[in-house]
Amino acid sequence: MKLNVLLLPGDGIGVEVTREAEKVLKHVTSAYGHELAVHQGLLGGIAIHKAGNPFPDETRKLALEADATLMGAVGLPEFDNAPPEKRPERGLLGIRQTLQVYANLRPVRSYKALIDSSPLKNELVDGTDMIIVRELTGGIYYGTPRGISGSGAEERAVNTMTYTRAEIERVSHMAFQLARKRKKKVTSVDKSNVLENSQLWRRVVVEVAGQYSDVALEHILVDNCAMQLVLNPRRFDVVLTENMFGDILSDEGAVLAGSIGMLPSASIGNRRPSGAWTGLYEPVHGSAPDIAGQNKANPLGAIGSVAAMLEYSFGLMEEAAAVNHAMETVLNSGKVTADLKPPGAPAATSEVGDAVCAAIAKAATV
Ligand code: IPM
Ligand code: MN
């Protein structure tokens, strides 16, 4: 198979974790006899510096041409006070919208080897295995009107949370279809005791559920969900929620996995004629400028995103499993970065990437 992949390292540790992810992608595709073409583009703060725009036209063009895009992270402290259109994050929102990747899948699971990395009690996190399906191209992130106007005591800021029925339906179908391949349970998260937006959300989710009689549906308010995630995480299978709630809850999920550096994500949208998904793959973590350039960031979230890309955008299940398996081998070996609190000296970002490649090489020759 020929894989045409766009790489957008972005800012901060995005650069070093995508370097390892690319290494693993090259390794696994060559081990399994595929042809890989990688193009590189600018997104985020680096794009503002080099092209004056967080999402340059050239990047838009490359993303629309690629089969799949692998991203690092965006965000740099020097833009903290910049206007919204000149912030790195706007680049990320732009590419998500351009690719129409409306479903962001964020798996959260506890790994045996990392059980002590979570500050929560072992018996509580053990066996956690859920996937958060976050709506990604609607809601308060994109709604208009938005902006800051006026001055003095009358200065006023507005954001708008808006969803159409069609937007809720398509992401709900994604959640129910995923649940069918798992434990057949969808937990829909909303704030329907206060927001009309959530009232429509809940009503549409119930309607869609009618087409999936084999999947159980429950509803939970977002504040209670935040609590249940750390009280009883095993009760969750597929968690379906809107954009901002999903952003917040998935960071909380990171505590269950041991470190936010572990979490991969797949943002998928429409199916192409081949049946594969248009996809944008990125670790859940941010650009972490405080540790950038020090070769100590955890690349496993980015490497796990490569596995997701192989699975969803290319349908290469065996190759995806090889990457996931190699990651587990490395986790069990203890050769991991400082965030995972290894018993011995922490490994460098590049050492973890090399170790994952070595584990794949071994698996391919036996
Ligand atoms: C994420 C990030 C982004 C988001 C930021 C960087 C815009 O926090 O992917 O979770 O809020 O979606
Ligand atoms: Mn986030």
Side-chain angles (χ1 to χ4, degrees), residues 50-70:
K50 294 202 172 163
N53 177 344
F55 183 36
D57 288 344
E58 173 66 13
T59 304
R60 180 186 305 266
K61 188 171 153 276
L62 288 170
L64 289 169
E65 283 166 7
D67 297 326
T69 299
L70 181 65

Side-chain angles (χ1 to χ4, degrees), residues 74 89 92-93 96 106 134 136 141 247 251 282 284:
V74 297
E89 291 79 5
L92 180 53
L93 301 195
R96 287 172 177 170
R106 298 188 158 185
R134 168 188 177 195
L136 200 63
Y141 274 52
D247 178 45
D251 268 37
E282 48 175 315
V284 172

Side-chain angles (χ1 to χ4, degrees), residues 8-17 42-49 53-55 71-84 86-93 95-96 282-293:
L8 300 172
D11 305 321
I13 61 167
V15 176
E16 52 220 82
V17 298
L42 298 172
L43 188 82
I46 185 170
I48 303 178
H49 282 308
N53 177 344
F55 183 36
M71 253 196 55
V74 297
L76 290 174
E78 69 241 43
F79 296 109
D80 279 355
N81 298 312
K86 287 276 182 225
R87 292 184 62 114
E89 291 79 5
R90 190 49 80 87
L92 180 53
L93 301 195
I95 192 169
R96 287 172 177 170
E282 48 175 315
V284 172
H285 65 70
S287 56
D290 52 324
I291 59 161

Side-chain angles (χ1 to χ4, degrees), residues 137-334:
T137 52
I140 198 164
Y141 274 52
Y142 293 94
T144 52
R146 68 184 296 159
I148 303 179
S149 59
S151 60
E154 298 306 310
E155 191 171 9
R156 192 166 182 272
V158 177
N159 288 97
T160 304
M161 189 183 213
T162 156
Y163 272 109
T164 62
R165 162 179 287 279
E167 286 174 318
I168 303 168
E169 278 174 359
R170 62 185 185 177
V171 73
S172 301
H173 280 292
M174 195 77 87
F176 281 99
Q177 278 161 23
L178 267 173
R180 270 195 170 150
K181 295 191 208 137
R182 299 173 47 98
K183 284 174 273 169
K184 300 194 167 52
K185 179 175 175 191
V186 170
T187 304
S188 173
V189 182
D190 64 40
K191 187 70 186 171
S192 61
N193 52 346
V194 179
L195 304 176
E196 283 79 1
N197 211 276
S198 286
Q199 287 156 13
L200 179 65
W201 180 276
R202 194 176 279 215
R203 186 148 52 79
V204 173
V205 172
V206 168
E207 282 172 25
V208 171
Q211 299 174 43
Y212 300 87
S213 52
D214 52 330
V215 178
L217 169 66
E218 67 170 3
H219 304 278
I220 185 170
L221 297 173
V222 63
D223 46 353
N224 186 21
C225 182
M227 185 170 70
Q228 294 298 322
L229 271 176
V230 286
L231 278 182
N232 186 10
R234 278 190 297 269
R235 80 198 286 275
F236 296 108
D237 177 23
V238 175
V239 177
L240 166 64
T241 193
E242 69 87 42
N243 203 342
M244 188 167 66
F245 296 164
D247 178 45
I248 297 168
L249 296 174
S250 57
D251 268 37
E252 193 185 358
V255 181
L256 302 163
S259 160
I260 194 160
M262 287 305 299
L263 297 195
S265 93
S267 305
I268 57 185
N270 301 316
R271 270 190 203 268
R272 291 199 302 265
S274 64
W277 296 98
T278 301
L280 174 66
Y281 301 85
E282 48 175 315
V284 172
H285 65 70
S287 56
D290 52 324
I291 59 161
Q294 297 174 33
N295 200 18
K296 63 185 194 193
N298 185 350
L300 293 175
I303 294 171
S305 303
V306 166
M309 170 190 283
L310 292 167
E311 175 177 346
Y312 295 111
S313 281
F314 298 107
L316 297 173
M317 307 313 262
E318 209 179 307
E319 291 78 347
V323 173
N324 283 325
H325 185 256
M327 279 175 47
E328 291 236 33
T329 307
V330 171
L331 283 176
N332 292 333
S333 77

